[in-house]
Amino acid sequence: MKVLLVNGGPHKNGATDCALRAVSEALADEGVESEIFWLGNEPVAACIGCYACKKTGKCFKDDVVNKVAARLDEFDGFVFGSPVHYAATSGALSSFMDRLFMSAGEKMYMKPAAAVVSCRRGGASAAFDEINKYFTISSMPVVSSQYWNQIHGSNAQEAMQDLEGIQTMKTLGKNMAFLLKCIEAGKASGISLPEREPLVRTNFIR
Ligand SMILES: Cc1cc2nc3c(=O)[nH]c(=O)nc-3n(C[C@H](O)[C@H](O)[C@H](O)COP(=O)(O)O)c2cc1C
């Protein structure tokens, strides 16, 4: 069992990373492997709505999105982390998730996921809600903790002092491990993934 933790912030060793490390440590304590993947500092292109991915199976722009998409089968669970930027996720994570979920969301079907946010002071729950919406449109069980998954601090040094935030992340890791083990046990006892019906797509004019 392996979990991918994506750091969508501009600082490789910043506050978001501090939160993800706490999740990763708790996963390790429960015997679950994990990998923290930093998106980096190069701007991540936004989705241009070309739907090329629907024809080719790949995003039009061959960058970090396709790199992660190609590896999705390696992972059983996901954590997407972001600093709060103007009471929202970072632009990089937002663009990354738009393109990853549009081009390869199917590969995460029924895999547990969680959102993690870091901020100095405000906007955490707005950013948290934003990330969770990708999971709830993709049939991904959302893993929760004892509080909304947020840590407070302008940088890693400050975030480490947010003891409640750290504990929230540790609990999240434990809860993720528990759910992954339940899913594995379920599969081993013959429970298969729900059968999927062809999508019925309507809009509000017909
Ligand atoms: C462009 C920008 C916007 C920000 N907006 C907010 C905000 O709305 N609320 C807040 O509390 N902190 C805000 N911050 C501070 C970061 O959320 C905070 O420093 C975060 O913990 C940094 O995480 P990182 O080290 O992983 O980048 C902002 C920082 C930047 C660079």
Side-chain angles (χ1 to χ4, degrees):
M1 277 178 286
K2 193 167 177 184
V3 175
L4 177 69
L5 302 104
V6 176
N7 176 1
H11 305 109
K12 189 175 186 189
N13 303 116
T16 310
D17 176 69
C18 172
L20 296 178
R21 272 182 201 285
V23 180
S24 166
E25 280 163 22
L27 285 165
D29 288 346
E30 300 298 323
V32 176
E33 232 187 300
S34 65
E35 175 178 330
I36 296 180
F37 182 86
W38 180 50
L39 288 188
N41 263 330
E42 289 299 311
V44 179
C47 176
I48 59 167
C50 63
Y51 298 104
C53 58
K54 298 295 167 204
K55 292 179 202 133
T56 65
K58 276 188 167 189
C59 184
F60 79 101
K61 188 154 176 68
D62 203 19
D63 62 1
V64 72
V65 172
N66 285 342
K67 195 173 163 188
V68 171
R71 295 188 56 205
L72 289 177
D73 291 343
E74 283 176 41
F75 303 100
D76 306 289
F78 300 91
V79 178
F80 291 88
S82 180
V84 174
H85 285 176
Y86 292 97
T89 59
S90 70
L93 189 78
S94 172
S95 294
F96 174 79
M97 290 186 81
D98 281 359
R99 290 171 47 218
L100 183 73
F101 277 75
M102 182 57 79
S103 62
E106 296 284 309
K107 292 185 185 166
M108 291 179 279
Y109 176 65
M110 289 310 277
K111 292 185 180 179
V116 160
V117 295
S118 75
C119 72
R120 186 186 71 80
R121 192 166 179 83
S125 64
F128 180 68
D129 290 348
E130 212 182 317
I131 299 175
N132 278 318
K133 290 195 178 91
Y134 290 87
F135 312 143
T136 49
I137 199 174
S138 307
S139 297
M140 296 170 79
V142 177
V143 185
S144 60
S145 183
Q146 66 204 40
Y147 196 87
W148 300 306
N149 310 327
Q150 61 195 58
I151 202 163
H152 291 269
S154 298
N155 50 45
Q157 288 68 35
E158 286 185 10
M160 263 155 40
Q161 296 171 49
D162 176 8
L163 298 185
E164 185 173 353
I166 295 284
Q167 190 181 51
T168 302
M169 300 306 153
K170 294 263 182 195
T171 302
L172 175 64
K174 274 190 199 166
N175 292 354
M176 169 73 84
F178 170 78
L179 192 57
L180 288 172
K181 288 174 191 174
C182 289
I183 291 172
E184 193 172 72
K187 281 183 187 163
S189 69
I191 298 174
S192 44
L193 293 178
E195 213 169 285
R196 303 171 78 182
E197 289 186 9
L199 270 185
V200 177
R201 285 172 66 88
T202 61
N203 57 28
F204 297 111
I205 54 169
R206 62 185 157 76

